[in-house]
Amino acid sequence: MSVTNFLALCASSYYDDTAFHRNVKGFMVQGGDPTSKGKGGSSIYGADFEDEIRPTLRHNARGIVSMANRGPGTNGSQFFITYTACPHLDGKNTVFGRVLEGADTTLDAMEALEVDKKYRSKEAVKILRVSIHANPLAG
């Protein structure tokens, strides 16, 4: 469900021109809210959906892509990318991907940005446009 949700939102331009609204050095950067404020967003299913915790998929490295939530079964459109291993998130957030390119450049640049007290980057960091190069769900 998480991968299908993410790919469908990407394909529909849902994430285009949205900001990463939370940026915590040494932890993660979070986005996926169309309001870019961190309180919005919805799934393609029309409501929140359940977690898909797999013991073999772990927050064990930089560049892990995972669903952000407000507790069990509250996945929508928001996601985060880890800056480091975050084992305390295992079993709490659904891992559904990893950064293949840019983990050593783009993530470094994002992590180095100055943030305010609410961990919002003082310089806007946006997803300008999403392109899907290979959809693993396409037949």
Side-chain angles (χ1 to χ4, degrees):
M1 292 182 80
S2 297
V3 171
T4 300
N5 181 64
F6 185 75
L7 287 172
L9 292 173
C10 288
S12 70
S13 302
Y14 186 89
Y15 294 125
D16 290 2
D17 202 38
T18 61
F20 284 95
H21 60 269
R22 187 170 173 222
N23 187 2
V24 184
K25 185 176 183 163
F27 180 34
M28 60 89 208
V29 62
Q30 184 173 337
D33 171 13
T35 71
S36 296
K37 298 195 185 304
K39 303 221 184 255
S42 58
S43 75
I44 62 168
Y45 308 110
D48 291 344
F49 61 94
E50 292 299 316
D51 301 314
E52 300 172 279
I53 305 300
R54 305 285 186 269
T56 56
L57 300 176
R58 305 176 58 86
H59 299 89
N60 60 356
R62 183 176 186 81
I64 299 297
V65 185
S66 190
M67 292 301 299
N69 62 40
R70 301 174 313 282
T74 60
N75 298 293
S77 64
Q78 293 189 38
F79 62 93
F80 63 88
I81 304 168
T82 60
Y83 285 138
T84 189
C86 300
H88 63 284
L89 298 177
D90 294 342
K92 296 177 183 172
N93 296 82
T94 300
V95 173
F96 68 93
R98 66 184 169 95
V99 175
L100 297 177
E101 294 180 21
D104 55 348
T105 54
T106 304
L107 287 181
D108 285 351
M110 291 169 71
E111 188 175 18
L113 292 172
E114 189 176 349
V115 298
D116 65 18
K117 292 178 186 177
K118 293 185 177 182
Y119 298 104
R120 298 186 192 283
S121 296
K122 291 186 175 183
E123 179 182 334
V125 178
K126 288 189 167 191
I127 298 171
L128 299 179
R129 187 173 62 85
V130 176
S131 296
I132 300 172
H133 297 281
N135 185 342
L137 302 177

